[in-house]
């Protein structure tokens, strides 16, 4: 029988040792762990009751142990009652009390028996998969209020009456009198079943319609009125739509919330869109301006056309002029803009915004005026990952999302006319003069290109608007800017020659090296003339030993000198140098450098030594075969091609998916984005993670379940993404958001079909 089996489980060595203790004074802690009893106050009480029972019934328990019926003895009424009391006290004190699933009382069946009886007797209830002490409802509490006046005041208030209306119905009592009656009643109020809604009511701004729709309540229910009464000024401020992001949103609540959000909506592009200009505009942008750019007028014309198509053009909330529409769109973070009033849809989640800006290392820019084209070029690979296409879009992105990435005003930044920005106290004239002093003698063309390298401003803009402050240094005979640059004396030359042992230095480091020894008052002695004395060529931000023909020559040597190079171990400032990145891209495209892991490269010569039979033509053939096999696939990854039956001519190399993805993306024959720990490819339009997820969730053969989606990404595409990021990405593509609830580790993420 079940009890006999359970008794064998319970009778551990510790328990037998305990029963051999004649005085039954010291029960081992292991026994209580096996019983699932902790060391809380109620657990200690149960320990004492069990000790007393064993001491008083030693012979009976001893005999039960010997004949194998020990569990039956311990399940006698006093022990069961003591354990029931322990459970009741735990449920009263801990909202989320859960018994260890491997405890012996669970395995033995005693826990289920006690819980079953407590449920039958109405002592406890099951709520959201957790047992708890059964709570009365609002109506139960109101009916038990002893004072007639208090009971009437509470009832009228719960029905939705104002304090004045309550007073009128109670014989013209004053507002203050009614309020006092209600406060007195609330002081003696027990915990009620409806108090569970206070979490939501104190966070989100819900009117009666919203509450009743979301929680599927009848209009006659008094729950909303009760919550207004008990929460008072603690009512929530957040918009109801933000509930979709709440981790406690249940599946049932999700359906109610979606029903409420679409109560006043129009069906556009397969979506229920709320009747607000911003929502309708985003839906149009997401479906029509994600893969292409458009003018704001073209965007506005599509908006007006859809209003007419849906017969809602007369709705005063939606009837906007072009200027008003443009103002609304300008405030939307998903809309990137550039000169010519060009717009494009590019949603990026708040978490991605913070990651993106953090990776750009904006701390390096201090007291400087520059163009976002500079930041764009310096972070070219990352711009592809986040689908930012030029400095103008980057300017728009940074400006619109500043509250997210600069909410604490960490960066002293000012957005000038696109694409210019200023960090701190900048002085454009000083920047121009300093660069000219550093490079002189220098021609206007050379100076304008150098200014572009350092500050991102186009040469044409520089020549037209920024040279007035240095016009006095221009020599019309040599067509150059000339100054009398100071030279180093003999001791300074000896010192700097001893220190400058390498072939490459950033100019700032050379200046710092010099001023640390000779003082900042002579910093101007580090210039193109003195560096030439030291055997270096000077560029806008760095110097290179003159044994190299050019900066390109040096960077080529740097990247190919060793068999393997990890860019993360180089000075991070190199990644912001235009010439360095140009050479890197050239070597990658030529397959002279092969990326085998994130920012880790091997030379082709090294691969050739490992696999003498491999040629660069073999690498190009792999790309051609892969793209041919990808025909019919709108999106693909290396793993997806393998799952689709693609067999590579390079399988013998035993390289990672990252290596083969690098061959494909460096070919320049297909668009790609870096996302979810890998690369997603797409023929035609530029792919993004959001577009890719939208493609997957629209696949009618794919069950749109969160777990299934995550598994599909991993197994079929070789992509990994955290649950939180996946959730954020799904919201960015137009899903209201999966209903989320963590219950006993059972995740019920669902995507709207």
């Amino acid at each position: 029988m079940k009890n006999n089996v359970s008794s064998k489980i319970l009778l551990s060595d510790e328990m037998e040792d305990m029963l051999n203790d004649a005085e039954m004074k010291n029960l081992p802690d292991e026994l209580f762990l096996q019983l699932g009893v902790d060391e809380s106050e109620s657990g200690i009480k149960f320990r004492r009751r069990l000790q007393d029972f064993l001491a008083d019934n030693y012979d009976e328990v001893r005999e039960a142990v010997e004949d194998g019926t020990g569990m039956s003895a311990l399940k006698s009424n006093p022990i069961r009652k003591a354990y029931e009391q322990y459970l009741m006290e735990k449920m009263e004190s801990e909202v989320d009390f859960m018994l260890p699933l491997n405890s012996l009382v669970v395995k033995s069946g005693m826990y289920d028996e006690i819980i079953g009886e407590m449920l039958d007797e109405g002592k406890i209830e099951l709520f959201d998969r957790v047992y708890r002490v059964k709570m009365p409802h609002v109506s139960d509490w109101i009916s038990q209020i002893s004072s007639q006046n208090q009971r009437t005041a509470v009832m009228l208030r719960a029905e939705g009456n104002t304090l004045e209306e309550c007073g009128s119905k109670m014989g013209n009592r004053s507002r203050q009198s009614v309020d006092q009656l209600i406060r007195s009643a609330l002081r003696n109020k027990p915990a009620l079943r409806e108090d569970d809604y206070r979490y939501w009511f104190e966070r989100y701004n819900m009117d009666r319609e919203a509450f009743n729709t979301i929680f599927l309540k009848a209009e006659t229910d008094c729950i909303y009125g009760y919550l207004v009464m008990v929460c008072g000024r603690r009512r929530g401020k957040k918009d109801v739509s933000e509930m979709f992001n709440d981790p406690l949103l249940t599946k049932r609540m999700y359906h109610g919330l979606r029903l409420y959000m679409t109560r006043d909506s129009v069906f556009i592009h397969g979506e229920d869109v709320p009747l607000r200009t911003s929502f309708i505009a985003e839906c149009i942008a997401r479906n029509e301006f994600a893969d292409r750019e458009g003018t704001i007028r073209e965007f506005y014309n599509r908006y007006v056309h859809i209003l007419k198509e849906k017969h809602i053009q007369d709705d005063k909330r939606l009837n906007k002029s072009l200027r008003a529409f443009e103002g609304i769109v300008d405030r939307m973070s998903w809309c990137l803009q550039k000169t010519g009033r060009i717009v494009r849809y590019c949603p990026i989640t708040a978490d991605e915004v913070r990651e993106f800006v953090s990776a750009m290392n904006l701390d390096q820019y201090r007291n400087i005026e520059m163009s976002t084209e500079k930041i764009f070029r310096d972070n070219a690979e990352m711009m592809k990952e986040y689908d930012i296409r030029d400095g103008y879009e980057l300017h728009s992105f940074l400006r619109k999302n500043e509250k997210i990435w600069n909410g604490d005003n960490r960066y002293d930044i000012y957005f000038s006319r696109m694409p210019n920005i200023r960090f701190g106290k900048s002085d454009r004239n000083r920047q121009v003069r300093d660069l000219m002093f550093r490079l002189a003698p220098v021609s206007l063309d050379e100076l304008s290109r150098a200014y572009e390298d350092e500050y991102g401003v186009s040469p044409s803009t520089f020549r037209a608007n920024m040279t007035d402050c240095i016009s006095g240094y221009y020599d019309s005979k040599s067509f150059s800017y000339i100054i009398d640059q100071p030279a180093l004396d003999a001791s300074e030359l000896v010192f700097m020659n001893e220190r400058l042992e390498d072939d490459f230095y950033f100019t700032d480091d050379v200046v710092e090296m010099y001023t640390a020894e000779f003082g900042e008052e002579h910093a101007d002695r580090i210039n193109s003339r003195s560096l030439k004395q030291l055997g270096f060529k000077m560029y806008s931000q760095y110097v290179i030993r003159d044994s190299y023909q050019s900066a390109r020559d040096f960077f080529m040597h740097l990247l190919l000198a060793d068999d393997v190079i990890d860019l993360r171990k180089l000075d991070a400032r190199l990644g912001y140098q235009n010439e360095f990145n140009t050479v890197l891209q050239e070597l990658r495209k030529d397959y002279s450098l092969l990326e085998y892991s994130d920012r880790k490269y091997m030379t082709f010569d090294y691969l050739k030594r490992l696999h003498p039979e491999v040629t660069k033509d073999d690498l190009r053939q792999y790309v051609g075969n892969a793209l041919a096999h990808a025909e019919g696939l709108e999106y693909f990854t290396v793993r997806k091609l393998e799952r689709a039956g693609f067999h590579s001519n390079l399988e013998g190399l035993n390289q990672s998916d990252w290596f083969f993805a690098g061959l494909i993306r460096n070919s320049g024959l297909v668009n790609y984005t870096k996302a979810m720990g890998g690369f997603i490819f797409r023929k035609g339009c530029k792919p993004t993670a959001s577009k890719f997820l939208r493609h997957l969730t629209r696949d009618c053969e794919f069950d749109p379940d969160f777990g299934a989606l995550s598994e599909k990404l991993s197994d079929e595409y070789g992509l990994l993404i955290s649950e939180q990021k996946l959730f954020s990405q799904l919201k960015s593509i137009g899903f209201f958001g999966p209903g989320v609830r963590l219950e006993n580790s059972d995740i019920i993420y669902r995507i709207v079909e």
Side-chain angles (χ1 to χ4, degrees), residues 214-359:
I214 294 169
F215 294 100
L216 307 179
K217 300 299 178 184
E219 289 294 330
T220 56
D221 286 338
C222 62
I223 301 174
Y224 182 82
Y226 164 75
L227 293 170
V228 171
M229 182 169 52
V230 297
C231 293
R233 296 181 179 179
R234 295 191 300 275
R235 292 182 61 176
K237 304 296 183 183
K238 292 183 179 181
D239 190 87
V240 171
S241 62
E242 295 187 49
M243 289 178 67
F244 284 116
N245 296 325
D246 199 299
L248 297 183
L249 187 73
T250 65
K251 189 175 181 181
R252 181 179 179 183
M253 286 170 56
Y254 163 72
H255 290 299
L257 179 58
R258 189 170 188 274
L259 182 64
Y260 174 75
M261 293 300 296
T262 58
R263 74 197 183 285
D264 189 17
S265 62
V266 61
F267 196 69
I268 304 173
H269 286 299
E271 304 174 27
D272 288 312
V273 182
L275 287 175
R276 300 181 196 173
T277 297
S278 59
F279 283 96
I280 295 175
E282 181 175 5
C283 179
I284 296 171
R286 183 168 56 247
N287 288 278
E288 301 183 26
F289 292 93
D291 292 331
R292 68 181 182 93
E293 299 174 346
T295 65
I296 189 65
R297 180 171 289 279
E298 181 183 2
F299 190 5
Y300 175 70
N301 289 341
R302 286 297 300 144
Y303 171 79
V304 172
H305 175 78
I306 285 178
L307 294 189
K308 292 179 179 179
E309 185 181 73
K310 300 298 179 180
H311 307 292
I312 53 177
Q313 69 272 22
D314 295 329
D315 191 322
K316 293 182 180 179
R317 297 171 298 176
L318 307 176
N319 196 344
K320 307 292 183 183
S321 66
L322 173 60
R323 176 171 293 185
F325 180 81
E326 186 173 7
I328 292 172
V329 169
D330 183 63
R331 294 191 293 272
M332 299 296 103
S333 63
W334 45 260
C335 182
L336 298 185
Q337 296 160 286
K338 61 179 67 176
T339 55
R341 301 172 78 188
I342 302 295
V343 297
R344 184 172 68 86
Y345 180 76
C346 183
I348 300 180
T349 67
D351 286 341
E352 289 177 322
V353 168
R354 296 185 189 95
E355 292 175 2
F356 182 35
V357 175
S358 176

Side-chain angles (χ1 to χ4, degrees), residues 4 7 11 15-16 19-20 24 53-54 56-74:
N4 290 336
S7 66
L11 294 178
M15 183 175 177
E16 290 186 8
L19 292 172
N20 288 327
M24 303 292 174
F53 172 77
L54 292 174
D56 294 340
N57 300 275
Y58 176 75
D59 292 336
E60 178 185 355
V61 174
R62 183 74 188 179
E63 182 179 346
V65 170
E66 292 174 352
D67 65 16
T69 60
M71 192 54 166
S72 298
L74 290 179

